[in-house]
């Protein structure tokens, strides 16, 4: 790897615009996710966070601007090509295949070869439920178990970049605690992670960096600590709703 | 090491249901058969009717299975699916009518030496037409249901006319192979030989599809794609290629069903596919759009019911499948085996 | 005045306006311009199909729903009149009963289909209507005691509409003023009137809501329109239009049967006419129906000539065989769906806007 590529961020968006049908959703989004960092993408409902992730994945195409992953331009790339570059995506609805077993869900996510026992044991360590319900239909899992499966699926093979859309959505506090631990473990593997989140406590306990969106723009970027310490800034960027969140 | 994921990990106790087959709709098949027995009142007649119904159901399944998979996978409803049936029948007939010697010989091997090439020709020609159809007619209208319906109807008109151009406007008579003509007796029940053949071929097709879908990686991809296409792409798979494969295979199967049906009817005409379409739609709606198992169960139910009512109340027979559809939809509005769209 | 008759929906193209006027005048004076039974039947068929196709366009073009049950409603009209006239006596009273009963039946069935299945997706609706139409076809052939089965019903019209009824001894511009002439003008006038009604419907606020639902269902729903209600009403109006067309066709033919009303081939003809003429334009139904019926009756002569001329070239004579005229219309249909969604009418209007 050339030194420039090493220094280049894992993910960078430059002036990305996205239209869905006749609606203009992203109005020039600019931000970067440095290698090995966990970046939180925050913002109110409808700010464009999910659209942002979907545009990176190529599920919607940017009408202007450019997106680079690990130095490669993927602005016009199709979804499978983006995934093959090493980008894993956990959508907001988790995208679990309900009619497939837990095992089959993981088998499908392992593209290169069947994952070895060591990797599986590591995943079972993160999410014991996966082991317990190995042969159960994924559709019969609880919401929290589904979320664990969705994340397990994303990391069943080593990936460069993880895009996770609201991993805490609809989860009970105890399970959110598990989730925090799992992400902390993931951070130790130096995987680059971008998480869209509404739950500020969750975001604060994990994020290295933060980007805040509003109405299709990035309105703030910086360290998570700085934002966590600045209540006035939080209120201005995110409104009061986040404090009420927990 | 490599088999780590294939076998369950130690102490993997699954307390959640893992079986994926809902047996209640499946039980409807023997239930209807048993219900018909006292009504038909003669055991031999009942056996004859049941075999006829199963044979008909198997052939409908061959014709319908591709359509339901294509819809499940790509959200495309091909109203021209019927022409693949007709084209397969014509292609098969072209081979069979040139091999009358082998067809008339009183030897199974000799008959098969004509039927196997005919079936292969039917699958190949229908599959090839399917490939062309997907590229030229359907590809530009993905995601637009209204245009899909219109364009595939247009394609149906054109291909039906082209059949006339290539094979002529007249009905082609197609005698059954000698050793599969007539019936044998099981006790007092007359069983047509060809129907037994149809049941065997249908079971083989279903078994092959089931194994392919449940025991191979491609099958895994297809099942996942039917549920959530976007997620399969997000996992790094090019579903388009998979879809073309399924479309071609489905068209080929329709061609197989077509030539089987043609030998059953002992004639071929250009409208035969379209005439089957109503029944095929009913079958895949009953089964649950996108479900192969549902399509199989639906086809057998329709086949059996058509034969029983044909005997008990001939006037009702043609409408029986529509009544069945209404009843099934009242019970399960999304069909017997609804596919969970994620 | 003209604006009111046309509900403010002008042809917006000189070529189209000329074509429409030619067709209108042609149909109005058909008995005088093209005497002879075959030509008059062609003209009457054009009138009936303009109405039939226009009522289908209300569904397909303006509401964005694909129904394969349109021939069923066409058939209900035909059979309603046929059964009433054959069972009762051939009086105006029996005719009126047939008309009213078939209209009521169509409205009820359309309402039921709409309420049950218009909530679901377009594809599902198309498949369900196909099955229902097939069921109705079976019903008509099975209940042969009432419907005449495959043979259909021949019946007598009220005195004034019978061909043998002559009103004047003398001819009028060389045309005998008989029941046939009266029948023709009845068909022409009723078809024209209902066409104008449909034109009024699509240009009313109701029609604009339909269009907005077709364009964006979510948005319309968000704006507070009950889309299922609007679609169901449109479905009923379309069904009633088809029923009236069926009544007129039966009156003209003095016959009704599965091949003239219920056949799936007629459904395909309707699709060809509406798409080639132009979906969502109303005038497209006039152009489409005229073109199609004329082609059906006269294109074959032309193709026979071409086919004979192409003798010796492989396949070409078969492709140009008179019976293959549907092949060429089918290709035109596909091209229209891809490239000219507004069909001939859309093309004519676009040509006008360019310079």
């Amino acid at each position: 790897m050339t030194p420039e590529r090493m220094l280049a961020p894992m993910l960078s968006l430059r002036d990305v615009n996205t239209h869905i049908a006749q609606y203009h959703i992203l109005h020039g989004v600019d931000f970067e996710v440095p290698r090995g960092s966990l970046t939180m993408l925050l913002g109110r409902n409808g700010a464009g966070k999910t659209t942002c992730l979907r545009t990176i994945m190529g599920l919607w195409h940017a009408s202007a601007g450019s997106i680079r992953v690990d130095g490669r331009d993927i602005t016009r790339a199709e979804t499978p090509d983006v995934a093959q570059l090493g980008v894993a995506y956990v959508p907001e609805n988790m995208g679990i295949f309900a009619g497939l077993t837990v095992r089959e869900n993981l088998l499908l996510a392992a593209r290169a070869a069947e994952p070895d026992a060591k990797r599986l044991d590591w995943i079972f360590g993160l999410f014991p439920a996966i082991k317990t319900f190995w042969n159960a239909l994924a559709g019969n899992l609880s919401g929290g178990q589904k979320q664990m499966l969705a994340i397990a699926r994303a990391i069943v093979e080593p990936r460069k970049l993880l895009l996770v859309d609201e991993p805490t959505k609809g989860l009970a506090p105890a399970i959110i605690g598990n989730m925090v631990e799992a992400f902390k473990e993931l951070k130790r593997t130096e995987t680059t992670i971008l998480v869209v989140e509404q739950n500020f406590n969750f975001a604060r306990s994990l994020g290295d960096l933060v980007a805040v969106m509003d109405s299709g723009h990035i309105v703030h970027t910086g360290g998570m600590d700085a934002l966590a310490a600045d209540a006035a800034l939080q209120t201005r960027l995110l409104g009061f709703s986040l404090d009420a969140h927990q | 090491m490599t088999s780590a994921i294939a076998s369950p990990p130690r102490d993997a106790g699954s307390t959640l249901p893992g079986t994926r087959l809902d047996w209640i709709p499946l039980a409807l098949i023997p239930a209807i058969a048993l219900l018909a027995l006292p009504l038909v009142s003669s055991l031999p007649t009942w056996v004859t009717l049941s075999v006829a119904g199963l044979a008909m159901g198997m052939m409908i399944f061959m014709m319908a299975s591709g359509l339901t998979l294509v819809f499940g996978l790509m959200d495309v409803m091909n109203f021209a699916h019927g022409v693949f049936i007709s084209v397969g029948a014509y292609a098969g007939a072209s081979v069979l009518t040139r091999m009358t010697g082998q067809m008339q010989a009183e030897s199974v091997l000799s008959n098969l030496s004509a039927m196997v090439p005919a079936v292969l020709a039917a699958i190949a020609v229908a599959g090839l037409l399917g490939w062309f159809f997907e590229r030229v007619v359907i590809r530009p209208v993905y995601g637009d249901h209204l245009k899909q319906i219109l364009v595939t109807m247009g394609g149906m008109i054109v291909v039906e006319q082209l059949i006339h151009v290539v094979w002529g406007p007249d009905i082609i008579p197609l005698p059954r192979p000698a050793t599969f003509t007539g019936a044998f007796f099981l006790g007092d029940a007359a069983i047509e030989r060809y129907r037994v053949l149809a049941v065997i071929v249908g079971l083989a097709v279903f078994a092959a599809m089931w194994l392919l879908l449940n025991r191979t990686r491609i099958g895994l991809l297809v099942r996942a794609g039917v549920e959530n296409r976007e997620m399969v792409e997000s996992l790094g798979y090019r579903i388009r290629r998979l879809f073309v494969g399924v479309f071609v295979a489905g068209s080929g199967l329709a061609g197989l069903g077509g030539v089987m049906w043609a030998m059953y009817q002992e004639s071929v005409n250009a409208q035969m596919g379209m005439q089957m379409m109503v029944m095929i739609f009913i079958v895949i709606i009953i089964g649950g759009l996108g479900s192969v198992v549902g399509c199989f169960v639906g086809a057998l139910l329709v086949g059996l019911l058509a034969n029983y009512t044909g005997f008990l109340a001939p006037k009702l027979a043609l409408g029986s499948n529509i009544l069945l559809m209404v009843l099934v939809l009242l019970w399960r509005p999304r069909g017997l085996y609804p596919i969970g769209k994620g | 005045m003209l604006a009111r008759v046309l509900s403010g929906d002008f042809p917006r193209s000189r070529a189209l306006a000329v074509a429409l006027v030619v067709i209108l005048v042609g149909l109005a004076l058909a008995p005088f311009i093209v005497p002879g039974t075959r030509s008059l039947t062609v003209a009457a068929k054009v009138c009936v199909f303009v109405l039939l196709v226009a009522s289908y366009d209300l569904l397909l073009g303006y509401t964005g729903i694909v129904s394969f049950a349109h021939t069923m409603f066409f058939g209900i009209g035909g059979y309603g009149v046929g059964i009433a006239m054959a069972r009762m006596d051939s009086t105006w009273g029996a005719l009126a009963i047939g008309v009213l009963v078939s209209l009521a039946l169509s409205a009820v069935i359309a309402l039921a289909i709409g309420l049950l299945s218009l909530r679901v997706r377009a594809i599902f609706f198309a498949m369900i209507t196909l099955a229902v139409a097939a069921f109705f076809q079976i019903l008509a052939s099975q209940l042969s005691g009432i419907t005449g089965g495959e043979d259909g019903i021949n019946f007598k019209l009220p005195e004034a509409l019978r061909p043998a009824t002559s009103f004047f001894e003398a001819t009028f511009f060389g045309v005998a003023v008989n029941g046939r002439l009266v029948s023709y003008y009845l068909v022409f006038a009723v078809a024209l009137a209902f066409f104008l009604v449909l034109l009024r419907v699509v240009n009313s606020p109701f029609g604009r809501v339909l269009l907005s639902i077709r364009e964006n269902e979510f948005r319309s729903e968000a704006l507070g329109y009950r889309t299922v209600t609007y679609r169901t009403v449109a479905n009923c109006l379309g069904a009633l239009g088809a029923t009236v067309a069926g009544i007129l066709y039966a009156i003209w033919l003095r016959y009704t049967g599965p091949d003239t009303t219920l056949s799936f081939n007629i459904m395909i003809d309707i699709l060809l006419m509406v798409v080639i003429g132009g979906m969502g334009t109303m005038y497209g139904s006039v152009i489409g129906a005229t073109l199609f019926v004329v082609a059906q009756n006269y294109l074959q002569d032309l193709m026979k000539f071409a086919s004979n001329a192409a003798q010796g070239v492989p396949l070409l004579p078969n492709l140009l065989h008179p019976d293959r005229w549907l092949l060429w219309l089918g290709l035109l249909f596909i091209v229209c769906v891809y490239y000219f969604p507004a069909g001939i009418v859309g093309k004519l209007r676009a040509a006008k806007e360019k310079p």
Side-chain angles (χ1 to χ4, degrees), chain A residues 140-193:
Chain A
N140 292 335
L141 299 176
S142 71
Q145 290 161 347
K146 279 184 185 153
Q147 189 60 264
M148 292 173 189
L149 175 58
I151 293 167
R153 211 169 49 176
I155 57 173
V156 69
E157 283 173 345
R159 301 279 183 243
K160 281 181 192 162
L161 173 65
L162 246 57
L163 307 174
V164 187
D165 200 345
E166 285 208 55
T168 64
K169 192 182 175 192
L171 297 191
I175 300 178
I176 293 180
N178 289 347
M179 211 55 94
V180 171
E181 292 311 311
F183 273 97
K184 279 186 176 159
E185 170 65 26
L186 271 180
K187 280 175 73 172
R188 275 194 279 280
T189 65
E190 303 205 336
T191 312
T192 311
I193 307 173

Side-chain angles (χ1 to χ4, degrees), chain A residues 54 57 59 79-81 83-84 87 89 91 93-101 103-111 114-117 120-121 124 131-137 140-141 145 153 156, chain B residues 1-21 213-215 217 219-239 340 342:
Chain A
R54 288 180 62 87
M57 272 321 282
L59 292 165
T79 305
D81 299 316
Q84 299 229 350
V87 183
Y89 173 52
N93 64 10
M94 302 177 281
I96 291 297
F97 303 114
L100 272 53
T101 62
R103 177 186 147 261
E104 286 173 328
N105 267 280
L106 286 177
L107 199 59
L108 203 59
R111 275 197 304 274
E114 291 184 353
D116 58 49
L120 275 185
D121 279 340
F124 292 155
K131 190 174 189 175
T132 314
F133 299 120
W134 187 242
N135 279 319
L137 278 188
N140 292 335
L141 299 176
Q145 290 161 347
R153 211 169 49 176
V156 69
Chain B
M1 264 313 208
T2 50
S3 63
I5 201 166
S7 58
R10 295 165 307 284
D11 65 88
S14 168
T15 49
L16 290 175
T19 46
R20 67 173 63 93
L21 201 65
L213 283 174
N214 290 289
R215 290 282 180 274
R217 195 167 176 83
L220 189 59
L221 272 170
V222 172
R223 282 187 291 138
V226 166
E227 263 193 59
N228 189 340
R229 184 170 77 223
E230 215 168 59
M231 197 60 221
V232 173
E233 293 192 307
S234 299
L235 289 176
Y237 299 97
R238 259 172 248 284
I239 207 156

Side-chain angles (χ1 to χ4, degrees), chain B residues 71 75 137 150 161 315 322, chain C residues 121 131 142 318 324 333 338:
Chain B
F71 179 78
D75 206 21
V137 179
L150 293 178
Q161 293 296 316
K315 281 204 180 269
I322 298 199
Chain C
R121 311 193 306 156
Q142 293 293 313
N318 278 352
R324 297 289 80 77
F333 175 91
Y338 283 148

